[in-house]
Amino acid sequence: MNVSERRVCRVLGQHRSTQRRLPQGRADEDRLVADMIELTRQYGRYGYRRIAALLRDAGWQVNDKRVERLWRREGLKVPMKQPKKGRLWLNDGSCVRLRPEYRNHVWSYDFVHHRTEDGRAFRTLNILDEHSRECLAIRVKRKLNSTEVIDALTDLFILRGVPAYIRSDNGPEFVAEAVRSWIKAVGAKTAFIEPGSPWENGYCESFNGRLRDELLNGEIFYSLREAQTIIESWRNHYNTKRPHSALGYRPPAPETTVPMDQRPTMH
């Protein structure tokens, strides 16, 4: 066709520079993709928003849209979302769920069951502050009973004070008379959920799912001691590094550092 480039571009509504210049990505794109893939490999159950938050923590000036574009270009899979669950409503239209309003307002705790490589069972007692989403403790033992519950809570009460409420399900370890009497004696109130309504303990149920999905399902524990060490390391990561969607993709208890020139001097 004997038609000028200028005329063709005008008819197509296309700038003439597109005929001379090949589109190029940013100079840092290869390094960004490499870091993104490395984080995805390390945290295989994270979606692109959490990966973007971790990239920003590492110093990258990048928004979610750019990470999503590269995520899809690289063929990475977004984890499936949890199905939505209803709430438990009473006949008068009120919801029985107690909502946390500040730190140490409502703690919740629950058990998770797993096995070491030899087939022997162990349990984890997970304790959360529902307002901050911080995992206060994970106690890992072959057997956990009401005495262990009291011991774990006692340690936390000494370190953090007594919460206003403690939420749990109706398992025998939680409704044991010794546990109820002790919680009342220290000045807290119990908040047992309705039988068959695990969504009332939604904060702990969600945490249990993250623990199993991001750690337990992908690890082989050869001994109880190894399980205790690895689970405690994961708890520390969950509190200080892992981006939490409900907290604006910030961790529940991020680590803080004080510059050397701002630290108090000893006299």
Side-chain angles (χ1 to χ4, degrees):
M1 294 178 63
N2 189 19
V3 183
S4 68
E5 177 187 286
R6 187 188 303 273
R7 185 174 181 180
V8 172
C9 289
R10 184 169 60 250
V11 171
L12 296 177
Q14 185 172 312
H15 198 276
R16 291 173 62 198
S17 64
T18 61
Q19 306 303 310
R20 302 180 177 84
R21 182 180 176 185
L22 295 176
Q24 295 180 352
R26 300 184 188 181
D28 63 351
E29 193 158 285
D30 289 343
R31 292 189 296 109
L32 174 59
V33 169
D35 286 358
M36 183 183 72
I37 292 176
E38 178 58 32
L39 287 171
T40 304
R41 183 181 297 112
Q42 187 174 357
Y43 307 113
R45 296 299 299 169
Y46 286 9
Y48 72 87
R49 290 186 179 88
R50 282 197 174 89
I51 294 298
L54 290 175
L55 288 169
R56 286 190 288 270
D57 286 345
W60 283 97
Q61 300 295 323
V62 63
N63 59 28
D64 288 356
K65 288 186 177 180
R66 186 182 179 194
V67 175
E68 182 185 16
R69 175 177 61 81
L70 298 174
W71 179 279
R72 296 187 182 280
R73 190 191 75 183
E74 297 298 319
L76 300 174
K77 298 292 185 180
V78 178
M80 293 179 62
K81 292 184 178 179
Q82 295 277 352
K84 293 184 178 180
K85 300 175 182 178
R87 302 184 186 276
L88 182 65
W89 297 90
L90 297 180
N91 292 332
D92 62 359
S94 62
C95 183
V96 302
R97 183 170 179 178
L98 171 68
R99 293 189 174 277
E101 299 177 1
Y102 50 86
R103 284 180 181 269
N104 278 8
H105 181 204
V106 184
W107 289 4
S108 60
Y109 56 130
D110 199 5
F111 289 123
V112 169
H113 301 257
H114 202 62
R115 294 181 182 275
T116 47
E117 193 272 339
D118 58 7
R120 297 179 62 195
F122 68 84
R123 306 174 84 190
T124 71
L125 171 62
N126 307 330
I127 307 175
L128 267 68
D129 184 312
E130 292 190 0
H131 183 266
S132 67
R133 306 300 207 278
E134 182 181 1
C135 177
L136 305 177
I138 301 180
R139 181 161 292 198
V140 182
K141 287 196 172 184
R142 296 291 183 188
K143 294 182 179 180
L144 289 166
N145 52 29
S146 59
T147 302
E148 295 287 351
V149 173
I150 293 175
D151 287 345
L153 290 175
T154 299
D155 293 342
L156 291 174
F157 288 177
I158 293 172
L159 292 173
R160 296 174 177 266
V162 180
Y165 291 90
I166 300 178
R167 192 199 312 270
S168 68
D169 65 17
N170 290 274
E173 300 86 355
F174 300 132
V175 299
E177 182 61 31
V179 176
R180 302 182 69 150
S181 299
W182 178 80
I183 290 176
K184 182 178 179 180
V186 298
K189 297 179 181 179
T190 55
F192 296 114
I193 71 173
E194 289 294 314
S197 305
W199 53 85
E200 280 191 75
N201 202 11
Y203 296 98
C204 216
E205 291 289 338
S206 176
F207 175 83
N208 293 347
R210 300 283 75 76
L211 172 65
R212 187 169 296 283
D213 186 47
E214 297 175 10
L215 179 67
L216 300 182
N217 288 347
E219 289 282 348
I220 298 176
F221 301 112
Y222 292 100
S223 67
L224 181 65
R225 180 58 180 167
E226 182 183 28
Q228 292 169 337
T229 302
I230 293 176
I231 291 172
E232 179 61 23
S233 177
W234 182 88
R235 185 185 75 89
N236 182 67
H237 167 80
Y238 178 91
N239 286 336
T240 62
K241 300 292 185 183
R242 181 188 185 277
H244 199 299
S245 58
L247 303 176
Y249 289 94
R250 301 299 302 169
E255 293 178 331
T256 57
T257 57
V258 179
M260 291 294 295
D261 58 353
Q262 296 183 18
R263 296 180 182 177
T265 57
M266 302 297 292
H267 297 286

